[in-house]
Amino acid sequence: MSRRHFFGTILLGNSSLLKEGVARILRSANFRIVASVASADDLQSGKVKSRQLLFIAIHTGDNFDLPKQIEHLRARNPDARIAVVTDRCRLEELVSAFRAGASGYFVDIMTSEVFTKALELVMMGETVLPSASLPFVLGPEIAPAEHAGPNSADDALLAATEDIAPQLSPREKSILRCLIDGDSNKCIARKINIAEATVKVHVKAILRKIRVHNRTQAAIWGMNCGWLPRTSGNGHGK
């Protein structure tokens, strides 16, 4: 039986209550809290030795120089991944954070499952930013029309690398949902009544279009884009 892999994680921020809340969410997933400090200056060098280290800056006020904190972390830990958790989307701050070296920017309107899966995506080398930032990043003539209201938590994230997520065909979307369910190619073929070889072709096309390397990354990408598995009502039979 394989050992469970954990991502070493360090929390930064002035709010002990919020840091403890984030820590509880992360401990239930593949994250191990290495330290919890007020700022990058409080870190001890002996606590930041890890091959896969994640820093999470929890920022809710105006008395936290986020770009400076990120620059400090990046200078000392060039291979680490850095994410920001904030109470509202500040576009100027978002741009400054990514220029300083951040890999993810999270606004607190998502579910814990989406949050942890998005952090896993960050640890795989992807960039995650709020969908609310799309008109600013892509321009209003390119960004999709607004569809997310204050309660659409699962649509709060866009996982991207260089451009907007490509359009998948209806068949590819169906197969992506099966990948999120953890189905094998043989199972997918049986579910949607196509040949297993055809499933392999579609899976390769999906990986190419969304720019990921394997099925696991594709499943996490799909969850972050709102294509969660349909687990209620009309679930698939085995």
Side-chain angles (χ1 to χ4, degrees):
M1 185 174 182
S2 60
R3 294 180 60 186
R4 189 179 182 186
H5 177 74
F6 289 92
F7 300 115
T9 306
I10 294 177
L11 305 178
L12 300 93
N14 296 322
S15 173
S16 298
L17 183 62
L18 291 177
K19 285 189 293 185
E20 179 58 28
V22 171
R24 290 192 178 194
I25 292 173
L26 296 182
R27 287 190 186 108
S28 65
N30 296 335
F31 299 87
R32 179 172 60 88
I33 307 303
V34 176
S36 180
V37 296
S39 70
D41 294 328
D42 298 327
L43 283 173
Q44 300 176 14
S45 58
K47 288 190 174 182
V48 295
K49 293 180 180 179
S50 175
R51 289 194 302 174
Q52 286 190 299
L53 192 65
L54 171 66
F55 291 95
I56 301 180
I58 301 172
H59 170 43
T60 58
D62 297 324
N63 59 342
F64 190 80
D65 191 339
L66 184 63
K68 183 178 179 180
Q69 293 289 318
I70 295 174
E71 289 173 358
H72 192 164
L73 294 172
R74 180 60 64 207
R76 291 188 176 184
N77 308 275
D79 296 326
R81 306 293 287 173
I82 302 172
V84 177
V85 175
T86 183
D87 57 345
R88 63 184 185 275
C89 185
R90 306 167 176 87
L91 292 178
E92 290 184 5
E93 178 184 89
L94 183 150
V95 173
S96 297
F98 279 94
R99 285 177 177 171
S103 307
Y105 192 94
F106 303 92
V107 182
D108 63 350
I109 56 172
M110 66 191 72
T111 66
S112 60
E113 182 184 20
V114 171
F115 178 53
T116 55
K117 291 298 183 182
L119 286 178
E120 290 178 7
L121 196 63
V122 167
M123 295 307 292
M124 290 177 181
E126 300 298 331
T127 298
V128 178
L129 63 156
S131 60
S133 67
L134 281 181
F136 179 79
V137 175
L138 302 175
E141 70 281 0
I142 302 177
E146 285 192 27
H147 63 279
N151 296 322
S152 55
D154 291 333
D155 293 328
L157 295 178
L158 168 76
T161 50
E162 298 175 358
D163 55 5
I164 189 170
Q167 293 294 319
L168 301 179
S169 69
R171 175 57 56 83
E172 289 168 344
K173 289 180 181 179
S174 297
I175 292 175
L176 180 58
R177 290 191 180 97
C178 292
L179 294 181
I180 295 172
D181 282 328
D183 294 334
S184 65
N185 287 349
K186 185 175 182 179
C187 182
I188 295 172
R190 187 167 60 246
K191 280 184 177 181
I192 61 180
N193 196 27
I194 61 175
E196 187 175 350
T198 304
V199 174
K200 292 180 180 179
V201 172
H202 282 304
V203 170
K204 287 182 179 179
I206 292 168
L207 300 184
R208 184 182 70 252
K209 285 185 178 182
I210 66 178
R211 298 182 183 182
V212 299
H213 301 293
N214 55 51
R215 301 162 70 94
T216 301
Q217 291 182 4
I220 295 173
W221 185 95
M223 291 185 71
N224 279 286
C225 289
W227 291 328
L228 294 173
R230 299 170 177 173
T231 56
S232 61
N234 56 349
H236 298 294
K238 297 294 183 182

